Amino acid sequence: MQNDFLDDAPASGASAAVQRVQSLHAELNRHAHAYYVLDNPSVPDAEYDRLFSELQQLEQTHPELKTPDSPTNRVGGIPLPEFGQVQHAVPMLSLNNGFEDDDVINFDRRVREGLDAAQEIDYAIDLKFDGLAINLRYVNGLFTQAATRGDGFTGEDVTENIRTIRSIPLRLQVENPPRIVDVRGEVLMFKRDFEKLNQRQRDAGAKEFANPRNAAAGSLRQLDSKITAQRSLRFFAYGIGALEGMDMPPSHRALLDWYRQAGIPVCEENALVKGAQGLLAFYRAIQEKRAILDYEIDGVVYKVNDFASQQSLGYVSRAPRFAIAHKFPAQEALTTVLDIEVQVGRTGAITPVARLAPVFVGGVTVTNATLHNEEEVQRKDIRIGDTVSVRRAGDVIPEVVSSVLEKRPADARQFVMPEACPICGSAIQKPEDEAIARCTGGWIKCSAQRKGGLFHFASRKAMNIDGVGEQLIDQLVDKNVVTTAADLYKLGLRALIELDRMAEKSAQNILHALEVSKETSFARFIYALGIRHVGESTAKDLANHFGNVQALLLANEEQLLNVPDVGPVVAKSILRFFGDSLNVELVEQLVASGIHWPEIEVQKKGEQVLAGKTLVLTGSLPTLSRDQATEIIENAGGKVAGSVSKKTSYVVAGDDAGSKLVKAQELGITILTEAELLQLCSRS
């Protein structure tokens, strides 16, 4: 239904703008309902932001077209009728977004102009979590109520569900708590908890969640709080609403410090910086760390630190003037599937790959995205010709998330898995107990498997042969110069110089790198062989358990099952690999070529001082690299984890140790220096 105000707008040159504004109203309201109410986003965030920005620009150009019910006047969605409604004492407003460096520089300029400041401004920085905004009310120190953002003024009462989040205190841990305090923050789900939840969903034959944000929102809106309690939700505080019976802390940073004292969770990844350059430096640093964080974020939030300055700057429309959200490049975007082809991996795995109309997502232009396997294509119902949402996170291979059914063309075609390998023509088979189809040609017949295997063999974590990359391997295989990994060590200067774009100096460098790679470790050698299911950790366990090649070659299933973390599937894979005479011959040729490693003294169970222990490394160690320290720990029987928990045995701390050290101290975990680690491991 068209808006009456818009109907009265001038019908001259603004008629096209009127129609576009009406269209944007309808589309944004539909997408907002799907995102905020149904917890089922219909488009990526980047697409919503693009439409929202277009509407804002139209309303700036044609002020007469801005209506009271415009999406630009709204913050969230309508509260669900199943929950009671809560009126926010202080509105939960949204933030303006910045996407480019210039947006941040202009924000800083506006703040300085608004405060008439000659010096650089102090800014507090928080992460922009991909979760659900929540208001927690404490009365005289007791938790009494929780509400979602809703439309910014009225939210949904989710008190009983919030009570199930164990990290949220039911009583503030301070003397003389305020009469009323509204704590603002985000409910979210950590990545590892999200994976466990989806595994349970798969095991139960239930629908999987698309991402941690949807999982958190869906869990919080359960009518049965017992279900919410099973979902491992977390909370981080980052703001404040109403406050009575206590003086407001002087700054945002002081507020977060008070929250910590009160027992309210605060994310340790925050900062206090000066000026625009300080903001941009933090943004770039956290963007580098984004992939290894325990949770999903889609940007950072900058706020003027001083609360008096915040009050002076005030608000405009739906957002504060003193804050801005600096978003990362879009990790999801819409594009079209031009075709679906298959790729052949080093183990023969056949992976459907979507060929896409070029789209800029996650900071790069994407033209291909993985579809994982045939069952995944069918489950997501992805067809050739579909408009799809594509996701890219960090350096992860882009994947197709879902198709937009309302945009499916009439001539969209379903994907059919080929019966023969597109590279070698061998039959494609899918074992009954696996989801992945495989080419049956093997290394000898299938050049794609040969290339993949050689690239894995030469990779940094395997034999680490500098200069032997995909382009060189493609030429060596296509020209029939190399068939197996052992052939790499038979290469001569002439054979290399005859390759395209290969000068004599480059060829000599490669021969030198091959010679250097012969001095390695037994674990790297095992990993380089590319045995299915044998990763770096399992390769180290095998090396430490058997000590030499012959013992490993002759091992039976019972002996393999005695190796830590080796189960029936891995054991059968190892037996299958060494049961092939060609693979045994390959190992013998590689050893004969001069590949060697320090002798390993096989230790009996119980001898290793760190057996059964979990250690975490943090900061820069004086003399050891991260890989060297990890190797020392693993040789002593220990495991290295990425995060600190109650199960952590020791934390090894160096210079510039951060939040992991703080958490270890809070949990009472023993802290070791590099020297203490070396002394401890010397007992093994």
Side-chain angles (χ1 to χ4, degrees):
M1 183 176 69
Q2 293 185 337
N3 184 284
D4 292 337
F5 183 85
L6 292 181
D7 286 343
D8 294 336
S12 57
S15 59
V18 170
Q19 293 177 4
R20 184 56 182 157
V21 166
Q22 291 173 343
S23 174
L24 288 168
H25 276 205
E27 190 167 1
L28 286 167
N29 285 333
R30 186 170 70 252
H31 294 323
H33 181 79
Y35 186 94
Y36 291 105
V37 179
L38 303 181
D39 295 322
N40 185 27
S42 51
V43 294
D45 288 352
E47 178 69 6
Y48 184 91
D49 291 337
R50 186 188 66 79
L51 296 170
F52 193 95
S53 178
E54 182 184 351
L55 180 58
Q56 283 182 311
Q57 291 173 7
L58 279 170
E59 289 177 345
Q60 289 172 3
T61 306
H62 304 278
E64 71 277 11
L65 300 184
K66 181 161 185 173
T67 62
D69 65 343
S70 170
T72 59
N73 289 326
R74 293 171 58 87
V75 176
I78 302 170
L80 291 175
E82 290 89 344
F83 295 94
Q85 296 187 11
V86 176
Q87 186 95 18
H88 296 306
V90 176
M92 293 183 70
L93 299 180
S94 189
L95 297 172
N96 286 325
N97 293 324
F99 299 94
E100 307 294 339
D101 288 3
D102 284 349
D103 296 330
V104 178
I105 292 169
N106 289 332
F107 163 71
D108 174 62
R109 175 184 53 76
R110 291 193 300 270
V111 167
R112 285 186 286 107
E113 290 174 353
L115 295 175
D116 195 21
Q119 297 180 332
E120 288 186 318
I121 303 296
D122 286 334
Y123 290 105
I125 308 179
D126 296 313
L127 303 186
K128 188 176 184 301
F129 304 105
D130 200 8
L132 194 70
I134 292 292
N135 185 89
L136 309 178
R137 168 156 287 202
Y138 288 84
V139 177
N140 296 321
L142 287 176
F143 170 71
T144 60
Q145 189 180 68
T148 64
R149 182 198 301 273
D151 64 2
F153 300 92
T154 303
E156 303 151 9
D157 190 333
V158 289
T159 305
E160 294 309 310
N161 289 345
I162 286 293
R163 287 184 190 277
T164 69
I165 303 177
R166 296 185 179 183
S167 62
I168 295 177
L170 299 181
R171 181 189 294 272
L172 297 179
Q173 299 167 16
V174 290
E175 295 183 6
N176 302 317
R179 186 166 59 254
I180 292 176
V181 59
D182 284 346
V183 179
R184 300 278 167 83
E186 197 94 356
V187 168
L188 64 158
M189 184 174 288
F190 279 19
K191 294 174 184 176
R192 59 179 177 271
D193 296 324
F194 171 69
E195 294 299 331
K196 291 177 182 176
L197 173 60
N198 265 352
Q199 184 60 56
R200 294 199 299 270
Q201 293 291 102
R202 286 192 291 272
D203 293 343
K207 181 181 177 182
E208 294 180 43
F209 291 93
N211 52 56
R213 192 266 171 196
N214 280 20
S219 300
L220 197 58
R221 284 171 164 159
Q222 292 291 327
L223 297 179
D224 183 354
S225 60
K226 293 179 181 177
I227 297 177
T228 307
Q230 300 170 0
R231 297 287 176 84
S232 300
L233 297 177
R234 317 293 180 109
F235 175 82
F236 286 134
Y238 52 64
I240 191 168
L243 178 64
E244 298 178 10
M246 186 183 97
D247 291 338
M248 180 71 77
S251 67
H252 179 78
R253 195 61 177 265
L255 172 67
L256 297 187
D257 288 341
W258 185 82
Y259 279 160
R260 290 189 186 92
Q261 295 169 17
I264 296 169
V266 173
C267 179
E268 295 303 318
E269 295 287 352
N270 59 57
L272 186 64
V273 303
K274 286 187 177 293
Q277 294 310 311
L279 298 175
L280 293 174
F282 181 90
Y283 174 85
R284 294 181 182 115
I286 202 68
Q287 194 172 20
E288 290 294 320
K289 291 179 62 176
R290 182 183 186 184
I292 62 172
L293 294 175
D294 291 332
Y295 35 78
E296 296 283 2
I297 61 173
D298 57 8
V300 293
V301 175
Y302 308 138
K303 299 175 183 175
V304 173
N305 186 47
D306 181 66
F307 278 156
S309 297
Q310 288 188 10
Q311 292 297 317
S312 176
L313 288 165
Y315 298 80
V316 56
S317 182
R318 59 192 289 276
R321 289 190 177 94
F322 55 79
I324 189 173
H326 190 181
K327 285 196 167 185
F328 294 136
Q331 289 191 292
E332 285 192 27
L334 295 181
T335 188
T336 306
V337 178
L338 303 178
D339 199 359
I340 298 178
E341 301 174 356
V342 296
Q343 284 184 344
V344 186
R346 67 178 176 86
T347 63
I350 303 294
T351 304
V353 175
R355 305 302 182 195
L356 307 169
V359 60
F360 192 75
V361 55
V364 300
T365 299
V366 171
T367 56
N368 303 311
T370 181
L371 291 166
H372 299 293
N373 55 59
E374 186 178 16
E375 291 180 2
E376 184 81 349
V377 179
Q378 294 171 351
R379 185 180 68 81
K380 292 181 177 178
D381 190 20
I382 307 298
R383 303 186 185 184
I384 300 167
D386 273 354
T387 295
V388 294
S389 177
V390 179
R391 177 190 297 145
R392 180 181 181 273
D395 294 327
V396 176
I397 298 170
E399 67 170 334
V400 174
V401 180
S402 61
S403 61
V404 182
L405 295 180
E406 62 190 53
K407 294 189 176 184
R408 172 169 288 168
D411 59 350
R413 292 180 288 120
Q414 290 186 324
F415 166 74
V416 178
M417 177 66 75
E419 296 180 356
C421 173
I423 304 299
C424 69
S426 299
I428 290 176
Q429 295 179 355
K430 187 174 78 169
E432 291 185 5
D433 58 342
E434 294 188 20
I436 298 173
R438 297 183 187 277
C439 164
T440 58
W443 266 45
I444 303 302
K445 288 186 65 176
C446 186
S447 63
Q449 293 185 57
R450 201 178 313 145
K451 290 176 181 178
L454 289 168
F455 181 69
H456 172 80
F457 181 86
S459 63
R460 183 177 65 84
K461 294 183 178 181
M463 296 302 292
N464 192 23
I465 309 174
D466 190 33
V468 179
E470 288 187 70
Q471 292 184 344
L472 179 60
I473 289 171
D474 283 346
Q475 284 199 71
L476 292 172
V477 172
D478 291 342
K479 295 178 183 294
N480 295 316
V481 178
V482 168
T483 301
T484 72
D487 293 337
L488 290 172
Y489 294 97
K490 300 173 187 175
L491 287 171
L493 186 63
R494 182 170 190 144
L496 287 170
I497 291 175
E498 290 179 353
L499 298 176
D500 296 339
R501 298 182 298 280
M502 181 65 70
E504 183 173 342
K505 179 63 175 174
S506 299
Q508 288 174 340
N509 289 340
I510 289 170
L511 292 176
H512 176 69
L514 283 163
E515 195 63 31
V516 169
S517 73
K518 290 180 181 179
E519 185 174 343
T520 185
S521 68
F522 188 27
R524 279 179 173 267
F525 180 77
I526 295 171
Y527 177 65
L529 295 176
I531 305 169
R532 278 189 68 194
H533 306 304
V534 176
E536 288 179 85
S537 178
T538 303
K540 290 174 183 176
D541 289 337
L542 289 168
N544 291 330
H545 186 87
F546 291 105
N548 61 72
V549 169
Q550 283 304 312
L552 178 58
L553 288 174
L554 298 173
N556 58 34
E557 184 172 7
E558 183 180 354
Q559 291 170 320
L560 288 169
L561 290 174
N562 285 328
V563 180
D565 295 332
V566 171
V569 173
V570 179
K572 283 183 171 59
S573 180
I574 296 169
L575 289 172
R576 192 179 303 116
F577 183 86
F578 291 122
D580 187 330
S581 60
L582 290 175
N583 290 331
V584 175
E585 183 182 350
L586 170 65
V587 171
E588 292 173 345
Q589 288 184 6
L590 288 169
V591 173
S593 72
I595 293 176
H596 61 282
W597 47 83
E599 184 178 346
I600 296 175
E601 182 180 346
V602 178
Q603 295 167 309
K604 296 178 182 178
K605 288 184 178 179
E607 275 188 350
Q608 295 175 300
V609 70
L610 294 181
K613 306 289 187 182
T614 300
L615 288 81
V616 173
L617 301 170
T618 182
S620 301
L621 300 180
T623 65
L624 297 175
S625 69
R626 188 63 59 98
D627 287 344
Q628 289 171 329
T630 298
E631 187 171 355
I632 288 170
I633 291 167
E634 290 175 340
N635 286 341
K639 296 284 185 182
V640 176
S643 58
V644 177
S645 70
K646 292 179 180 179
K647 296 181 180 179
T648 303
S649 307
Y650 302 103
V651 168
V652 183
D655 293 339
D656 300 322
S659 58
K660 293 177 183 178
L661 176 59
V662 174
K663 186 171 183 180
Q665 292 168 335
E666 291 174 351
L667 294 174
I669 294 167
T670 302
I671 313 297
L672 300 177
T673 63
E674 178 188 291
E676 290 170 333
L677 171 68
L678 293 173
Q679 183 179 6
L680 181 63
C681 292
S682 67
R683 301 175 198 163
S684 290

